[in-house]
Amino acid sequence: MEHIEEIQKLSIRVKYIPEEHRIDVFIGSLKDNINQEVHLWEPDSLDKAFKLVRKMESKIMETRKPATHNHKDGNVAAPSHPQPTRFTW
């Protein structure tokens, strides 16, 4: 999201660059996994490209959450970690 803010600031200062070129530069500067996805959607404005990136970043962050989903009853629970085994002699 920081990257979007930088591009927005730059875009305000350089108005003579066509929108299409700004979009290409922005998409080209993204990480590969997001770059390819945004490129497939062919956004026709810089704002649309920004929105796509924000949605994709949110989706990526959601998939990194350490919660598991119980599809049977719809509950979300934290992952369980195995407890250490206590040996008795």
Side-chain angles (χ1 to χ4, degrees):
M1 307 258 188
E2 217 175 273
H3 184 63
I4 291 174
E5 291 172 7
E6 290 176 22
I7 296 291
Q8 286 173 323
K9 289 176 186 176
L10 182 62
S11 185
I12 291 169
R13 291 190 298 191
V14 285
K15 297 185 186 255
Y16 59 89
I17 296 176
E19 179 83 355
E20 186 176 304
H21 185 66
R22 293 181 205 197
I23 296 166
D24 288 342
V25 168
F26 173 65
I27 294 173
S29 68
L30 299 170
K31 293 179 182 177
D32 286 341
N33 59 334
I34 295 177
N35 171 311
Q36 293 169 357
E37 291 278 334
V38 174
H39 187 73
L40 288 173
W41 283 94
E42 297 180 355
D44 58 0
S45 74
L46 204 48
D47 285 334
K48 287 181 183 176
F50 293 157
K51 287 177 185 176
L52 283 169
V53 169
R54 286 185 184 110
K55 286 180 182 180
M56 289 176 196
E57 286 179 344
S58 292
K59 184 178 178 182
I60 290 169
M61 295 307 289
E62 284 179 19
T63 60
R64 291 184 181 173
K65 289 182 183 176
T68 57
H69 187 78
N70 183 340
H71 294 284
K72 190 175 185 181
D73 61 9
N75 291 330
V76 176
S80 61
H81 298 286
Q83 297 298 317
T85 304
R86 178 177 283 173
F87 293 107
T88 56
W89 302 95

Coordinates of all heavy atoms in Angstrom, one line a residue:
M1 N 0.8 -1.2 0.0 CA 0.0 0.0 0.0 C 0.9 1.3 0.0 O 0.5 2.3 -0.5 CB -0.9 0.0 1.2 CG -1.7 -1.3 1.3 SD -3.4 -1.0 0.8 CE -4.1 -2.5 1.3
E2 N 2.0 1.1 0.6 CA 3.0 2.2 0.6 C 3.4 2.6 -0.8 O 3.5 3.7 -1.2 CB 4.2 1.8 1.4 CG 4.9 2.9 2.2 CD 6.0 2.3 3.0 OE1 5.7 1.8 4.1 OE2 7.1 2.3 2.6
H3 N 3.5 1.5 -1.6 CA 3.9 1.7 -3.0 C 2.8 2.5 -3.8 O 3.2 3.3 -4.6 CB 4.1 0.3 -3.7 CG 4.6 0.3 -5.1 ND1 5.8 0.8 -5.4 CD2 4.0 -0.1 -6.2 CE1 6.0 0.7 -6.7 NE2 4.9 0.2 -7.2
I4 N 1.6 2.2 -3.5 CA 0.5 3.0 -4.2 C 0.6 4.4 -3.9 O 0.4 5.3 -4.7 CB -0.9 2.4 -3.8 CG1 -1.0 1.0 -4.4 CG2 -2.0 3.3 -4.2 CD1 -2.3 0.2 -3.9
E5 N 0.8 4.7 -2.6 CA 1.0 6.1 -2.2 C 2.1 6.9 -2.9 O 2.0 8.0 -3.3 CB 1.2 6.2 -0.7 CG -0.1 5.8 0.1 CD 0.2 5.7 1.6 OE1 1.3 6.1 2.1 OE2 -0.7 5.3 2.3
E6 N 3.2 6.2 -3.1 CA 4.3 6.7 -3.8 C 4.0 7.0 -5.3 O 4.3 8.1 -5.8 CB 5.6 5.8 -3.7 CG 6.2 5.7 -2.4 CD 7.3 4.7 -2.3 OE1 7.9 4.4 -3.4 OE2 7.6 4.2 -1.2
I7 N 3.3 6.1 -5.9 CA 2.9 6.2 -7.3 C 1.9 7.4 -7.4 O 2.0 8.2 -8.4 CB 2.3 4.9 -7.9 CG1 3.4 3.8 -7.9 CG2 1.7 5.2 -9.2 CD1 4.5 4.0 -8.9
Q8 N 1.0 7.5 -6.4 CA 0.0 8.6 -6.5 C 0.7 10.0 -6.4 O 0.3 10.9 -7.1 CB -1.0 8.5 -5.3 CG -2.0 7.3 -5.5 CD -2.9 7.1 -4.3 OE1 -2.4 7.2 -3.2 NE2 -4.2 6.8 -4.6
K9 N 1.7 10.1 -5.5 CA 2.4 11.3 -5.4 C 3.1 11.7 -6.6 O 3.1 12.8 -7.1 CB 3.4 11.3 -4.2 CG 2.7 11.3 -2.8 CD 3.7 11.1 -1.7 CE 3.1 10.9 -0.4 NZ 4.0 10.6 0.7
L10 N 3.8 10.7 -7.2 CA 4.5 10.9 -8.5 C 3.6 11.2 -9.6 O 3.9 12.1 -10.4 CB 5.3 9.6 -8.8 CG 6.2 9.6 -10.0 CD1 7.3 10.7 -9.9 CD2 6.8 8.3 -10.3
S11 N 2.4 10.6 -9.6 CA 1.5 10.9 -10.7 C 0.9 12.3 -10.7 O 0.7 12.9 -11.7 CB 0.3 9.9 -10.6 OG -0.6 10.0 -11.6
I12 N 0.8 12.8 -9.5 CA 0.4 14.2 -9.4 C 1.4 15.2 -9.9 O 1.1 16.2 -10.6 CB 0.1 14.6 -7.9 CG1 -1.1 13.8 -7.4 CG2 -0.1 16.1 -7.6 CD1 -1.4 13.9 -5.9
R13 N 2.7 14.9 -9.8 CA 3.8 15.8 -10.2 C 4.0 15.7 -11.7 O 4.5 16.6 -12.3 CB 5.0 15.5 -9.4 CG 5.0 15.9 -8.0 CD 6.3 15.8 -7.3 NE 6.8 14.4 -7.3 CZ 7.8 14.0 -6.7 NH1 8.5 14.8 -5.9 NH2 8.2 12.7 -6.7
V14 N 3.8 14.5 -12.3 CA 4.1 14.3 -13.7 C 2.8 14.1 -14.5 O 2.5 13.0 -14.9 CB 5.1 13.2 -14.0 CG1 6.5 13.6 -13.6 CG2 4.7 11.9 -13.2
K15 N 2.2 15.2 -14.8 CA 0.9 15.1 -15.5 C 1.0 14.9 -17.0 O 0.0 14.5 -17.7 CB 0.1 16.4 -15.2 CG -0.3 16.5 -13.7 CD -1.1 17.7 -13.5 CE -1.3 17.9 -12.0 NZ -2.6 17.5 -11.5
Y16 N 2.1 15.1 -17.6 CA 2.3 15.0 -19.0 C 2.4 13.6 -19.5 O 2.4 13.3 -20.7 CB 3.5 15.8 -19.5 CG 4.8 15.4 -18.8 CD1 5.6 14.5 -19.4 CD2 5.2 16.0 -17.7 CE1 6.8 14.1 -18.8 CE2 6.4 15.7 -17.1 CZ 7.2 14.7 -17.6 OH 8.3 14.3 -17.1
I17 N 2.6 12.6 -18.6 CA 2.7 11.2 -19.0 C 1.3 10.6 -19.1 O 0.4 10.8 -18.3 CB 3.4 10.4 -17.9 CG1 4.9 10.9 -17.8 CG2 3.4 8.9 -18.3 CD1 5.7 10.3 -16.7
P18 N 1.0 10.0 -20.3 CA -0.4 9.5 -20.5 C -0.8 8.4 -19.5 O 0.1 7.7 -19.0 CB -0.2 8.8 -21.9 CG 1.0 9.4 -22.5 CD 1.9 9.8 -21.4
E19 N -2.0 8.4 -19.2 CA -2.6 7.5 -18.2 C -2.2 6.0 -18.5 O -1.8 5.3 -17.6 CB -4.1 7.6 -18.1 CG -4.8 6.7 -17.1 CD -4.8 7.2 -15.7 OE1 -4.1 8.3 -15.4 OE2 -5.4 6.6 -14.8
E20 N -2.3 5.6 -19.7 CA -1.9 4.3 -20.1 C -0.5 3.9 -19.7 O -0.2 2.8 -19.3 CB -2.1 4.1 -21.6 CG -2.0 2.7 -22.1 CD -2.3 2.6 -23.6 OE1 -3.4 2.9 -24.0 OE2 -1.4 2.1 -24.3
H21 N 0.4 4.9 -19.9 CA 1.8 4.6 -19.6 C 2.0 4.5 -18.1 O 2.7 3.7 -17.6 CB 2.7 5.7 -20.2 CG 4.1 5.5 -20.0 ND1 4.8 4.4 -20.6 CD2 5.1 6.1 -19.2 CE1 6.1 4.4 -20.2 NE2 6.2 5.5 -19.3
R22 N 1.3 5.4 -17.3 CA 1.3 5.3 -15.9 C 0.9 4.0 -15.3 O 1.5 3.4 -14.4 CB 0.4 6.4 -15.2 CG 0.9 7.8 -15.5 CD 0.0 8.8 -14.9 NE 0.0 10.1 -15.5 CZ -0.4 11.2 -15.0 NH1 -1.0 11.2 -13.8 NH2 -0.4 12.3 -15.7
I23 N -0.2 3.5 -15.9 CA -0.7 2.2 -15.5 C 0.3 1.1 -15.8 O 0.6 0.3 -14.9 CB -2.0 1.8 -16.3 CG1 -3.1 2.8 -15.9 CG2 -2.5 0.4 -16.1 CD1 -4.3 2.8 -16.9
D24 N 0.9 1.1 -17.0 CA 2.0 0.1 -17.3 C 3.2 0.2 -16.4 O 3.7 -0.9 -15.9 CB 2.4 0.3 -18.8 CG 1.4 -0.1 -19.8 OD1 0.5 -0.8 -19.4 OD2 1.6 0.3 -21.0
V25 N 3.6 1.4 -16.0 CA 4.7 1.6 -15.1 C 4.3 1.0 -13.7 O 5.1 0.3 -13.1 CB 5.1 3.0 -15.0 CG1 6.1 3.3 -13.9 CG2 5.8 3.5 -16.4
F26 N 3.1 1.3 -13.3 CA 2.7 0.9 -12.0 C 2.6 -0.6 -11.9 O 3.2 -1.3 -11.0 CB 1.4 1.5 -11.6 CG 0.8 0.9 -10.3 CD1 1.4 1.1 -9.1 CD2 -0.4 0.2 -10.4 CE1 0.9 0.6 -8.0 CE2 -0.9 -0.4 -9.2 CZ -0.3 -0.2 -8.0
I27 N 2.0 -1.2 -12.9 CA 1.8 -2.7 -12.9 C 3.2 -3.4 -13.0 O 3.5 -4.4 -12.4 CB 0.9 -3.1 -14.1 CG1 -0.5 -2.7 -13.8 CG2 0.9 -4.7 -14.2 CD1 -1.5 -2.9 -14.9
G28 N 4.1 -2.8 -13.9 CA 5.4 -3.3 -14.0 C 6.3 -3.3 -12.8 O 7.2 -4.0 -12.6
S29 N 5.9 -2.4 -11.9 CA 6.7 -2.2 -10.6 C 6.2 -3.1 -9.5 O 6.8 -3.1 -8.4 CB 6.7 -0.8 -10.2 OG 5.4 -0.4 -9.7
L30 N 5.1 -3.9 -9.7 CA 4.6 -4.7 -8.7 C 5.3 -6.1 -8.6 O 6.0 -6.5 -9.6 CB 3.1 -5.0 -9.0 CG 2.2 -3.8 -9.0 CD1 0.8 -4.2 -9.6 CD2 2.1 -3.2 -7.6
K31 N 5.2 -6.7 -7.5 CA 5.8 -8.1 -7.3 C 5.2 -9.0 -8.4 O 4.0 -8.8 -8.7 CB 5.5 -8.6 -5.9 CG 6.2 -7.8 -4.9 CD 5.9 -8.4 -3.5 CE 6.6 -7.6 -2.4 NZ 6.3 -8.0 -1.1
D32 N 5.9 -10.0 -8.8 CA 5.5 -10.9 -9.9 C 4.1 -11.5 -9.7 O 3.3 -11.5 -10.6 CB 6.5 -12.0 -10.1 CG 7.8 -11.5 -10.8 OD1 7.7 -10.4 -11.4 OD2 8.8 -12.2 -10.7
N33 N 3.8 -12.0 -8.5 CA 2.5 -12.7 -8.3 C 1.4 -11.7 -8.4 O 0.3 -12.1 -9.0 CB 2.5 -13.4 -7.0 CG 2.7 -12.5 -5.8 OD1 3.3 -11.4 -5.9 ND2 2.2 -12.9 -4.6
I34 N 1.5 -10.5 -8.0 CA 0.4 -9.5 -8.1 C 0.5 -8.9 -9.5 O -0.6 -8.6 -10.1 CB 0.6 -8.4 -7.0 CG1 0.4 -9.1 -5.7 CG2 -0.4 -7.3 -7.3 CD1 0.5 -8.1 -4.5
N35 N 1.6 -8.6 -10.1 CA 1.8 -8.0 -11.4 C 1.0 -8.8 -12.4 O 0.2 -8.2 -13.2 CB 3.3 -8.0 -11.7 CG 3.6 -7.7 -13.1 OD1 3.0 -8.2 -14.1 ND2 4.6 -6.8 -13.3
Q36 N 1.1 -10.1 -12.5 CA 0.5 -10.9 -13.5 C -1.0 -10.9 -13.3 O -1.8 -10.8 -14.3 CB 1.0 -12.4 -13.4 CG 2.4 -12.5 -13.8 CD 3.0 -13.9 -13.4 OE1 2.3 -14.7 -12.9 NE2 4.3 -14.1 -13.8
E37 N -1.5 -10.9 -12.1 CA -3.0 -10.9 -11.8 C -3.6 -9.6 -12.3 O -4.6 -9.5 -13.0 CB -3.2 -11.1 -10.3 CG -3.0 -12.5 -9.8 CD -4.1 -13.4 -10.1 OE1 -5.2 -13.0 -10.2 OE2 -3.8 -14.6 -10.2
V38 N -2.9 -8.5 -11.9 CA -3.5 -7.1 -12.3 C -3.4 -7.0 -13.8 O -4.4 -6.4 -14.4 CB -2.7 -6.0 -11.6 CG1 -3.1 -4.6 -12.0 CG2 -2.8 -6.1 -10.0
H39 N -2.3 -7.4 -14.4 CA -2.2 -7.3 -15.8 C -3.4 -8.0 -16.6 O -3.9 -7.5 -17.6 CB -0.9 -7.8 -16.3 CG -0.6 -7.6 -17.7 ND1 -0.3 -6.4 -18.2 CD2 -0.6 -8.5 -18.8 CE1 -0.1 -6.5 -19.5 NE2 -0.2 -7.7 -19.9
L40 N -3.8 -9.2 -16.1 CA -4.8 -9.9 -16.7 C -6.2 -9.2 -16.6 O -7.0 -9.3 -17.5 CB -5.0 -11.3 -16.0 CG -3.9 -12.3 -16.2 CD1 -4.1 -13.6 -15.3 CD2 -3.9 -12.7 -17.7
W41 N -6.4 -8.4 -15.6 CA -7.6 -7.6 -15.5 C -7.7 -6.4 -16.4 O -8.7 -5.8 -16.6 CB -7.9 -7.2 -14.0 CG -8.3 -8.3 -13.2 CD1 -7.6 -9.1 -12.4 CD2 -9.7 -8.7 -13.0 NE1 -8.4 -10.0 -11.7 CE2 -9.7 -9.8 -12.1 CE3 -10.9 -8.3 -13.5 CZ2 -10.8 -10.4 -11.7 CZ3 -12.0 -8.9 -13.1 CH2 -12.0 -10.0 -12.2
E42 N -6.5 -6.0 -17.0 CA -6.4 -4.9 -17.9 C -7.1 -3.6 -17.4 O -8.0 -3.1 -18.1 CB -7.0 -5.3 -19.3 CG -6.2 -6.4 -19.9 CD -6.7 -6.8 -21.3 OE1 -7.8 -6.3 -21.7 OE2 -6.1 -7.6 -21.9
P43 N -6.7 -3.1 -16.2 CA -7.4 -1.9 -15.7 C -7.2 -0.7 -16.7 O -6.1 -0.6 -17.3 CB -6.7 -1.6 -14.4 CG -5.4 -2.3 -14.5 CD -5.6 -3.5 -15.4
D44 N -8.2 0.1 -16.9 CA -8.2 1.2 -17.8 C -7.9 2.5 -17.1 O -7.9 3.6 -17.8 CB -9.4 1.3 -18.7 CG -10.7 1.4 -17.9 OD1 -10.6 1.5 -16.6 OD2 -11.8 1.5 -18.5
S45 N -7.6 2.5 -15.8 CA -7.3 3.7 -15.1 C -6.3 3.3 -14.0 O -6.3 2.1 -13.5 CB -8.5 4.4 -14.5 OG -9.0 3.7 -13.4
L46 N -5.6 4.2 -13.5 CA -4.6 4.0 -12.4 C -5.4 3.7 -11.2 O -5.0 2.8 -10.4 CB -3.7 5.2 -12.2 CG -2.4 5.0 -11.6 CD1 -1.6 3.9 -12.2 CD2 -1.6 6.3 -11.7
D47 N -6.5 4.4 -10.9 CA -7.3 4.1 -9.8 C -7.9 2.7 -9.7 O -7.9 2.0 -8.7 CB -8.5 5.1 -9.7 CG -8.1 6.5 -9.2 OD1 -7.1 6.6 -8.5 OD2 -8.8 7.4 -9.6
K48 N -8.3 2.2 -10.9 CA -8.7 0.8 -10.9 C -7.6 -0.2 -10.6 O -7.8 -1.2 -10.0 CB -9.4 0.5 -12.3 CG -10.7 1.1 -12.5 CD -11.3 0.8 -13.8 CE -12.6 1.5 -14.0 NZ -13.2 1.3 -15.4
A49 N -6.4 0.1 -11.1 CA -5.3 -0.7 -10.9 C -4.9 -0.7 -9.4 O -4.7 -1.8 -8.8 CB -4.0 -0.2 -11.6
F50 N -5.0 0.5 -8.7 CA -4.8 0.6 -7.3 C -5.8 -0.3 -6.5 O -5.5 -1.0 -5.6 CB -4.9 2.0 -6.8 CG -3.9 3.0 -7.3 CD1 -4.1 4.3 -7.4 CD2 -2.6 2.5 -7.7 CE1 -3.1 5.2 -7.8 CE2 -1.7 3.4 -8.2 CZ -1.9 4.7 -8.2
K51 N -7.1 -0.2 -6.9 CA -8.1 -1.0 -6.2 C -7.9 -2.5 -6.4 O -8.1 -3.2 -5.4 CB -9.5 -0.6 -6.8 CG -10.0 0.7 -6.4 CD -11.3 1.1 -7.0 CE -11.7 2.5 -6.6 NZ -13.0 2.9 -7.3
L52 N -7.5 -2.9 -7.5 CA -7.2 -4.3 -7.7 C -6.0 -4.8 -6.8 O -6.1 -5.9 -6.2 CB -6.8 -4.6 -9.2 CG -7.9 -4.6 -10.2 CD1 -7.4 -4.6 -11.6 CD2 -8.8 -5.9 -10.0
V53 N -5.0 -4.0 -6.8 CA -3.9 -4.3 -5.9 C -4.3 -4.4 -4.5 O -3.9 -5.3 -3.8 CB -2.7 -3.4 -6.2 CG1 -1.6 -3.6 -5.1 CG2 -2.1 -3.5 -7.6
R54 N -5.0 -3.5 -4.0 CA -5.5 -3.5 -2.6 C -6.3 -4.7 -2.3 O -6.1 -5.4 -1.3 CB -6.3 -2.2 -2.3 CG -5.5 -1.0 -2.2 CD -6.3 0.2 -1.8 NE -5.6 1.4 -1.7 CZ -5.7 2.4 -2.6 NH1 -6.6 2.4 -3.6 NH2 -4.9 3.5 -2.5
K55 N -7.2 -5.1 -3.2 CA -8.0 -6.3 -3.0 C -7.1 -7.6 -3.0 O -7.3 -8.5 -2.2 CB -9.0 -6.5 -4.2 CG -10.2 -5.5 -4.0 CD -11.1 -5.7 -5.2 CE -12.3 -4.7 -5.1 NZ -13.3 -4.9 -6.2
M56 N -6.1 -7.6 -3.9 CA -5.2 -8.8 -3.9 C -4.4 -8.9 -2.7 O -4.1 -10.0 -2.2 CB -4.4 -8.7 -5.2 CG -5.2 -9.0 -6.4 SD -4.2 -8.8 -7.9 CE -5.5 -8.7 -9.1
E57 N -3.9 -7.7 -2.2 CA -3.1 -7.7 -1.0 C -3.9 -8.1 0.2 O -3.4 -8.9 1.0 CB -2.4 -6.4 -0.8 CG -1.3 -6.1 -1.7 CD -0.7 -4.7 -1.5 OE1 -1.3 -3.8 -0.9 OE2 0.4 -4.5 -2.0
S58 N -5.1 -7.7 0.2 CA -6.0 -8.1 1.3 C -6.3 -9.6 1.3 O -6.3 -10.3 2.3 CB -7.4 -7.4 1.2 OG -7.2 -6.0 1.5
K59 N -6.5 -10.1 0.1 CA -6.7 -11.6 -0.1 C -5.5 -12.4 0.4 O -5.6 -13.4 1.1 CB -7.0 -11.9 -1.5 CG -7.4 -13.3 -1.8 CD -7.7 -13.5 -3.2 CE -8.0 -15.0 -3.5 NZ -8.4 -15.2 -4.9
I60 N -4.3 -11.9 0.0 CA -3.1 -12.6 0.4 C -2.9 -12.5 1.9 O -2.6 -13.5 2.5 CB -1.8 -11.9 -0.3 CG1 -1.9 -12.2 -1.8 CG2 -0.5 -12.3 0.4 CD1 -0.9 -11.4 -2.6
M61 N -3.2 -11.4 2.5 CA -3.1 -11.3 4.0 C -4.1 -12.2 4.7 O -3.8 -12.8 5.7 CB -3.3 -9.8 4.5 CG -2.2 -8.9 4.0 SD -0.6 -9.4 4.4 CE -0.6 -9.1 6.1
E62 N -5.3 -12.4 4.2 CA -6.3 -13.3 4.8 C -5.8 -14.7 4.7 O -6.1 -15.4 5.6 CB -7.6 -13.1 4.0 CG -8.4 -11.9 4.4 CD -9.7 -11.8 3.6 OE1 -10.2 -12.8 3.1 OE2 -10.2 -10.6 3.6
T63 N -5.2 -15.1 3.6 CA -4.7 -16.5 3.5 C -3.6 -16.8 4.4 O -3.3 -17.9 4.7 CB -4.3 -16.8 2.1 OG1 -3.3 -16.0 1.6 CG2 -5.5 -16.7 1.2
R64 N -2.9 -15.7 4.9 CA -1.8 -15.9 5.8 C -2.2 -16.0 7.3 O -1.4 -16.3 8.2 CB -0.7 -14.8 5.7 CG 0.0 -14.9 4.4 CD 1.0 -13.8 4.2 NE 1.6 -13.8 3.0 CZ 2.5 -13.0 2.5 NH1 2.8 -12.0 3.3 NH2 3.0 -13.1 1.3
K65 N -3.4 -15.7 7.6 CA -3.9 -15.8 9.0 C -3.8 -17.2 9.5 O -4.2 -18.1 8.8 CB -5.3 -15.2 9.1 CG -5.4 -13.7 8.9 CD -6.8 -13.3 9.1 CE -6.9 -11.8 8.8 NZ -8.3 -11.3 8.9
P66 N -3.4 -17.4 10.7 CA -3.2 -18.8 11.2 C -4.5 -19.4 11.8 O -4.5 -20.1 12.8 CB -2.2 -18.6 12.3 CG -2.4 -17.2 12.8 CD -2.9 -16.4 11.6
A67 N -5.7 -19.1 11.3 CA -6.9 -19.7 11.7 C -7.3 -20.7 10.8 O -7.1 -20.7 9.6 CB -8.0 -18.6 11.8
T68 N -8.0 -21.7 11.3 CA -8.6 -22.8 10.5 C -10.1 -22.7 10.5 O -10.7 -22.2 11.4 CB -8.2 -24.2 11.0 OG1 -8.6 -24.3 12.3 CG2 -6.7 -24.4 10.9
H69 N -10.7 -23.1 9.4 CA -12.1 -23.0 9.3 C -12.8 -24.4 9.4 O -12.4 -25.3 8.7 CB -12.5 -22.3 7.9 CG -13.9 -22.0 7.8 ND1 -14.5 -20.9 8.4 CD2 -14.9 -22.6 7.1 CE1 -15.8 -20.9 8.1 NE2 -16.1 -21.9 7.3
N70 N -13.8 -24.5 10.2 CA -14.5 -25.7 10.3 C -15.7 -25.6 9.4 O -16.7 -25.0 9.7 CB -14.9 -25.9 11.8 CG -15.6 -27.2 12.0 OD1 -16.1 -27.8 11.0 ND2 -15.7 -27.7 13.2
H71 N -15.6 -26.3 8.3 CA -16.7 -26.2 7.2 C -18.0 -26.8 7.7 O -19.0 -26.4 7.2 CB -16.2 -26.8 5.9 CG -15.1 -26.1 5.3 ND1 -15.2 -24.9 4.7 CD2 -13.7 -26.3 5.3 CE1 -14.0 -24.5 4.2 NE2 -13.1 -25.3 4.6
K72 N -17.9 -27.7 8.6 CA -19.1 -28.4 9.1 C -20.1 -27.4 9.8 O -21.3 -27.4 9.4 CB -18.7 -29.5 10.0 CG -19.9 -30.4 10.4 CD -19.3 -31.6 11.2 CE -20.4 -32.6 11.5 NZ -19.9 -33.7 12.3
D73 N -19.6 -26.6 10.7 CA -20.5 -25.7 11.4 C -20.2 -24.3 11.2 O -20.8 -23.4 11.8 CB -20.5 -26.1 12.9 CG -19.2 -25.9 13.6 OD1 -18.2 -25.4 12.9 OD2 -19.0 -26.3 14.8
G74 N -19.2 -23.9 10.4 CA -18.9 -22.6 10.1 C -18.1 -21.8 11.1 O -17.9 -20.6 11.0
N75 N -17.5 -22.5 12.1 CA -16.7 -21.9 13.1 C -15.3 -21.7 12.7 O -14.8 -22.5 11.9 CB -16.8 -22.7 14.4 CG -18.1 -22.6 15.1 OD1 -18.8 -21.6 14.9 ND2 -18.5 -23.6 15.8
V76 N -14.6 -20.7 13.2 CA -13.2 -20.5 12.9 C -12.5 -20.7 14.2 O -12.9 -20.1 15.3 CB -13.0 -19.0 12.4 CG1 -11.5 -18.8 12.2 CG2 -13.7 -18.8 11.1
A77 N -11.4 -21.5 14.2 CA -10.7 -21.7 15.4 C -9.2 -21.6 15.2 O -8.7 -21.8 14.0 CB -11.0 -23.2 15.9
A78 N -8.5 -21.2 16.2 CA -7.0 -21.1 16.1 C -6.5 -22.5 15.9 O -7.0 -23.4 16.4 CB -6.5 -20.4 17.4
P79 N -5.4 -22.6 15.2 CA -4.8 -23.9 15.0 C -4.3 -24.5 16.3 O -3.8 -23.8 17.1 CB -3.6 -23.6 14.0 CG -3.3 -22.2 14.2 CD -4.6 -21.5 14.5
S80 N -4.4 -25.8 16.4 CA -4.0 -26.4 17.7 C -2.5 -26.8 17.5 O -2.1 -27.3 16.4 CB -4.8 -27.6 18.0 OG -4.8 -28.5 17.0
H81 N -1.8 -26.7 18.5 CA -0.4 -27.1 18.5 C -0.2 -28.3 19.4 O -0.8 -28.3 20.5 CB 0.5 -25.9 19.0 CG 0.5 -24.7 18.2 ND1 1.0 -24.6 16.9 CD2 -0.2 -23.5 18.3 CE1 0.8 -23.5 16.4 NE2 0.1 -22.8 17.2
P82 N 0.6 -29.3 19.0 CA 0.7 -30.4 19.8 C 1.3 -30.1 21.2 O 2.2 -29.2 21.3 CB 1.6 -31.4 19.0 CG 2.2 -30.5 18.0 CD 1.3 -29.3 17.8
Q83 N 0.8 -30.7 22.2 CA 1.3 -30.5 23.6 C 2.5 -31.4 23.8 O 2.5 -32.5 23.3 CB 0.2 -30.7 24.6 CG -0.9 -29.8 24.5 CD -0.6 -28.3 24.7 OE1 0.2 -28.0 25.6 NE2 -1.0 -27.4 23.9
P84 N 3.5 -30.9 24.6 CA 4.6 -31.8 24.8 C 4.2 -33.0 25.6 O 3.3 -33.0 26.5 CB 5.6 -30.9 25.7 CG 4.8 -29.7 26.1 CD 3.6 -29.6 25.2
T85 N 4.8 -34.1 25.3 CA 4.5 -35.4 26.0 C 5.4 -35.5 27.3 O 6.6 -35.2 27.3 CB 4.8 -36.6 25.1 OG1 4.1 -36.4 23.9 CG2 4.4 -37.9 25.8
R86 N 4.7 -35.8 28.4 CA 5.4 -35.9 29.7 C 5.7 -37.4 29.9 O 4.8 -38.2 29.9 CB 4.6 -35.4 30.8 CG 5.3 -35.6 32.2 CD 4.5 -35.0 33.3 NE 4.8 -33.6 33.2 CZ 4.2 -32.7 34.0 NH1 3.2 -33.1 34.9 NH2 4.4 -31.4 33.9
F87 N 6.9 -37.8 30.0 CA 7.3 -39.1 30.2 C 7.5 -39.4 31.7 O 8.0 -38.6 32.4 CB 8.7 -39.5 29.5 CG 8.6 -39.4 28.0 CD1 9.1 -38.4 27.3 CD2 7.9 -40.4 27.3 CE1 9.0 -38.4 25.9 CE2 7.8 -40.4 26.0 CZ 8.4 -39.4 25.3
T88 N 6.9 -40.5 32.2 CA 7.1 -40.9 33.6 C 8.0 -42.1 33.6 O 7.8 -43.1 32.8 CB 5.8 -41.1 34.2 OG1 5.1 -42.1 33.5 CG2 5.0 -39.8 34.3
W89 N 8.9 -42.2 34.5 CA 9.8 -43.4 34.6 C 9.4 -44.2 35.8 O 9.0 -44.1 36.7 CB 11.2 -42.9 34.7 CG 11.6 -42.1 33.6 CD1 11.6 -40.7 33.6 CD2 12.1 -42.5 32.3 NE1 12.1 -40.3 32.3 CE2 12.4 -41.3 31.5 CE3 12.3 -43.7 31.7 CZ2 12.8 -41.4 30.2 CZ3 12.7 -43.7 30.4 CH2 13.0 -42.6 29.7

